[in-house]
Amino acid sequence: MVVSLEEKVLMPEFLSKKPKLKFLFTGGKGGVGKTISAAGLAYRFAKDGKKTLLVSLNPVHSLSSLFGQDLRGGVIKPVEGAPNLYALEVEIDDVVEKYKQNIAKRLSEFLKWADIPMDPKPFIDIATTNPAFQESAMFDKMMDVVLQQGEEYDVVVFDTAAVANAARLIGLSKIYGLWLERMIESRKEALSLRVKLSFRKEKVMEEIKKDPLMADLLSMQDRFNRVKDILLNEELTAFFFVTLPLSLPIAVVKRFIKMVKGFDIPVGGVIVNQVIPKAVAEATTNEYIRNKYREQLGYMAEIERDLGPLVRSYIPVYPSEVVGVDMVARVSQDMFSWIPDFLDELEV
Ligand SMILES: Nc1ncnc2c1ncn2[C@@H]1O[C@H](COP(=O)(O)OP(=O)(O)OP(=O)(O)O)[C@@H](O)[C@H]1O
Ligand SMILES: [Mg+2]
């Protein structure tokens, strides 16, 4: 059986069916093209007149090198040469430090309120050296952007880091919710116990209202629930997975899609990057490229067989790295129109 293009819902059609789409994410294995895909999507929305923010949640400053402009500093900057497009490179160290201070403040307030004469610093040091702390801080920042910049921008595209990080970012949302619920429950129990011990039952509600930790937990829960409602809404949010026509990245995308579906997070689809056109393979005498092309056909068949209806875009392999606004524009254009020249011959 050969691939049928009629049955596909490619990017232009997919987006036209989702006029309210506002939050887009790209995920996938390291180095597969998450950043160029996120930029290609963002560029398109901006070109269509939408005020668009491209956010990098990567520890490495990938947007600056992609656009060849200084977009660092952890503040939103307009992208030169791309009207309506803005970029934000989240500075991990700043985010972690702020998050740490916030938690330290909460903890000291709580210790004071509970009359526990203890220095919170050692606890904070232990908590913040946990490797998951950085990810919690990034997740928190992502929630901030969804709630704040989501108001101000028509579209926000997130370029997330490599697979483990993005997976946790997604997984955290569920765990975070459960954790908050548990915390609130045990806080209620602790508070009613405290009131019971003082034999003044009518004081429970009063006590709960005064408790800074409780107030904090409730506001965290409210904020989290608002973000969750947005991220799980398939009219508003879509996660795109980027793969190469290679075994490992395909396996990662398959695993990812399963996991994301398990969290009820809306899957936007798959972007297949670095496809060698048939014309290129035929025109070259380079054995390496010809072999790569033959190898690619097998992987492309696998993608069509297992992920076919989810494929939204194909991006060809370019003669050089993707750098500068003009190259991003080209990626964007290809994401919305390019189809491999061998697709209709592919046996699946
Ligand atoms: N189709 C392509 N043709 C040529 N070069 C490409 C193509 N796609 C990506 N590249 C180059 O490959 C490198 C990796 O791409 P990109 O940075 O988008 O991947 P990534 O998934 O974001 O990587 P990381 O996991 O490190 O964040 C970049 O140097 C980019 O310019
Ligand atoms: Mg990247």
Side-chain angles (χ1 to χ4, degrees):
M1 214 176 60
V2 294
V3 175
S4 152
L5 277 175
E6 277 84 66
E7 285 165 24
K8 282 192 181 299
V9 180
L10 294 172
M11 199 60 90
E13 191 187 343
F14 178 79
L15 292 186
S16 74
K17 283 183 175 166
K18 306 243 175 213
K20 290 193 201 143
L21 203 63
K22 188 166 194 130
F23 300 100
L24 294 82
F25 291 77
T26 57
K29 198 182 169 301
V32 292
K34 297 179 292 296
T35 301
I36 67 148
S37 301
L41 285 167
Y43 185 88
R44 176 60 175 234
F45 283 106
K47 198 167 168 250
D48 287 347
K50 300 209 166 161
K51 192 177 177 191
T52 306
L53 180 64
L54 177 59
V55 184
S56 165
L57 296 177
N58 285 283
V60 185
H61 299 303
S62 45
L63 299 184
S64 292
S65 48
L66 173 65
F67 286 102
Q69 300 175 19
D70 185 3
L71 300 167
R72 293 169 304 171
V75 291
I76 297 174
K77 294 186 179 177
V79 177
E80 265 170 59
N84 300 321
L85 183 59
Y86 297 80
L88 170 63
E89 280 192 345
V90 172
E91 295 277 348
I92 294 225
D93 292 345
D94 289 359
V95 168
V96 168
E97 190 49 41
K98 258 188 216 138
Y99 195 61
K100 189 171 161 175
Q101 281 169 10
N102 227 331
I103 286 182
K105 192 171 145 252
R106 281 179 178 148
L107 194 55
S108 350
E109 267 171 18
F110 169 69
L111 291 174
K112 213 169 106 199
W113 173 85
D115 274 336
I116 303 171
M118 198 161 57
D119 179 11
K121 197 175 171 298
F123 288 96
I124 292 158
D125 287 343
I126 290 169
T128 53
T129 46
N130 183 327
F133 187 80
Q134 207 187 45
E135 277 148 28
S136 308
M138 285 309 261
F139 181 73
D140 202 73
K141 178 68 189 179
M142 188 264 285
M143 294 208 294
D144 262 358
V145 173
V146 167
L147 292 175
Q148 284 168 31
Q149 274 70 41
E151 293 279 314
E152 200 185 322
Y153 289 82
D154 298 319
V155 175
V156 182
V157 183
F158 288 96
D159 168 26
T160 54
V163 67
N165 199 343
R168 282 196 210 102
L169 219 57
I170 295 162
L172 262 175
S173 69
K174 195 159 195 170
I175 295 158
Y176 191 61
L178 289 172
W179 176 79
L180 274 173
E181 255 170 50
R182 269 304 300 148
M183 285 293 285
I184 289 169
E185 273 317 303
S186 53
R187 195 69 206 122
K188 270 189 195 151
E189 277 165 31
L191 286 174
S192 42
L193 191 67
R194 191 176 146 121
V195 175
K196 255 183 220 147
L197 288 177
S198 69
F199 298 104
R200 288 158 72 190
K201 276 193 184 129
E202 73 280 5
K203 289 270 174 186
V204 174
M205 275 324 287
E206 212 172 289
E207 199 74 358
I208 285 179
K209 273 187 208 144
K210 270 192 303 188
D211 175 24
L213 186 63
M214 191 65 173
D216 235 29
L217 284 169
L218 289 173
S219 91
M220 275 162 84
Q221 192 182 41
D222 171 63
R223 179 167 163 265
F224 172 70
N225 283 337
R226 278 188 292 148
V227 173
K228 199 177 72 176
D229 285 348
I230 293 170
L231 294 189
L232 299 190
N233 182 338
E234 61 178 355
E235 296 302 316
L236 293 177
T237 301
F239 277 71
F240 291 94
F241 300 101
V242 186
T243 190
L244 306 176
L246 282 175
S247 166
L248 224 55
I250 296 173
V252 167
V253 163
K254 284 184 188 167
R255 207 176 63 213
F256 232 38
I257 289 177
K258 225 180 179 169
M259 188 187 73
V260 159
K261 281 186 176 161
F263 289 121
D264 297 325
I265 288 170
V267 174
V270 173
I271 295 163
V272 187
N273 185 25
Q274 296 200 14
V275 179
I276 305 169
K278 182 182 176 184
V280 168
E282 281 179 351
T284 184
T285 51
N286 184 312
E287 263 318 291
Y288 176 76
I289 296 175
R290 294 172 74 97
N291 283 336
K292 283 298 271 187
Y293 175 76
R294 270 193 293 273
E295 191 184 283
Q296 165 184 284
L297 291 179
Y299 292 122
M300 286 300 285
E302 180 183 346
I303 291 170
E304 295 304 329
R305 199 171 53 236
D306 299 345
L307 301 165
L310 281 175
V311 175
R312 303 283 174 252
S313 291
Y314 300 93
I315 306 173
V317 64
Y318 301 110
S320 69
E321 270 197 330
V322 180
V323 177
V325 175
D326 290 349
M327 273 297 276
V328 171
R330 182 167 169 191
V331 171
S332 186
Q333 168 84 26
D334 284 336
M335 285 179 81
F336 283 81
S337 60
W338 191 75
I339 287 165
D341 52 1
F342 54 85
L343 208 60
D344 53 355
E345 300 166 20
L346 207 60
E347 284 286 337
V348 293

